Amino acid sequence: MTREKSSYAVQTVEKALDILETLTDESRHATLPYLAEKLDLSRNKAFRLLATLESKGLVERDEASGVYRLGISSVELAQRLLNSTSLIRHAHPIMERLARKHDEAVYIAVLKGDEVLFLDMVDCEQAIKTAPLVGRRFPFFSNAAGKAIRALESTDLLDRFLKKRGRNGGPFDPATLQQELKAVREHGVAVDFDGLGEGIVSVAVAVRDYAGKVIGALTMLGPSFRMMASRMENEIIPSLREGAEILSMKFGYAKL
């Protein structure tokens, strides 16, 4: 019985993906009857699949013609995938140069909701170093990358987050976080101590695209005994700023 349900679920997903693929190739005549016939589905099943995709914003239906087309969520999903892929491709050579220059681990990270996702990494050759974080997610307020990104986003988003955390409780003081993010906006760099583990320091600078939107953060991690204040101020932070500026330029950002 379990196998039958699993098989049915997979087939349903496949048919939903078939619908999206069809709408990508041809949407001028993509009415319910057309899609049902093309994909060998009953009209009832095609309608249920389309209704589910529509509820998620993945497809849209023109009320006048009954024609379905890809929804804004599909476009946004594709754009995020392209941005993540190109972000890694453009960032990696810059990360390699930073890692070689300072012999510390360098990451590119993005914000996913209220969490930071570490997308890619170039490790250092130090005997003592942090554990790899690629693919891992952390609350944005627990590390420099999250603070560097969130500090430059809409204040409305931050206010909603703080109100939500205020209701649910959280391991930070909202007023202190507000002050930290204000300092990040003023200085263009975020520094966090112990948020990713005891004795770990993270430093990050935001990366922007052609519209000035923050798309990620270049981040360097290291143990506190190597990430001393003078070294960060005179060496690491200037390098990260330069790297983030070069990477932003690759996405069309022009600093005014």
Side-chain angles (χ1 to χ4, degrees), residues 70-83:
L70 290 178
I72 189 66
S73 292
S74 291
V75 178
E76 289 176 347
L77 190 62
Q79 189 60 51
R80 288 175 187 171
L81 177 61
L82 288 172
N83 282 345

Side-chain angles (χ1 to χ4, degrees), residues 59 243 246:
V59 304
I246 293 171

Side-chain angles (χ1 to χ4, degrees), residues 88-229:
I88 291 173
R89 186 175 70 251
H90 289 309
H92 201 82
I94 295 171
M95 294 160 59
E96 287 181 331
R97 290 197 293 272
L98 288 169
R100 284 197 302 267
K101 181 177 180 179
H102 299 287
D103 202 14
E104 300 292 354
V106 181
Y107 289 84
I108 188 71
V110 295
L111 198 64
K112 298 293 184 183
D114 292 326
E115 295 182 316
V116 166
L117 170 64
F118 287 85
L119 282 180
D120 191 23
M121 167 199 188
V122 176
D123 207 354
C124 63
E125 297 183 2
Q126 299 276 6
I128 300 176
K129 54 188 175 182
T130 60
L133 302 179
V134 173
R136 295 188 60 186
R137 295 171 181 253
F138 298 89
F140 85 86
F141 53 80
S142 70
N143 59 88
K147 293 173 185 177
I149 298 172
R150 184 49 65 86
L152 301 177
E153 286 195 333
S154 165
T155 54
D156 291 340
L157 289 174
L158 180 61
D159 289 342
R160 287 201 294 270
F161 170 78
L162 291 175
K163 287 178 182 177
K164 181 174 69 176
R165 296 295 296 198
R167 291 193 298 269
N168 299 335
F172 64 86
D173 174 46
T176 300
L177 180 60
Q178 288 274 28
Q179 287 300 314
E180 281 189 72
L181 298 183
K182 180 182 178 183
V184 173
R185 285 191 292 272
E186 291 174 352
H187 301 292
V189 62
V191 180
D192 181 86
F193 299 88
D194 300 330
L196 293 173
E198 186 176 355
I200 297 176
V201 178
S202 59
V203 188
V205 178
V207 176
R208 298 175 182 264
D209 66 9
Y210 65 95
K213 181 182 177 181
V214 178
I215 57 175
L218 270 179
T219 310
M220 188 174 292
L221 268 64
S224 56
F225 67 84
R226 287 202 306 266
M227 304 288 276
M228 295 173 290

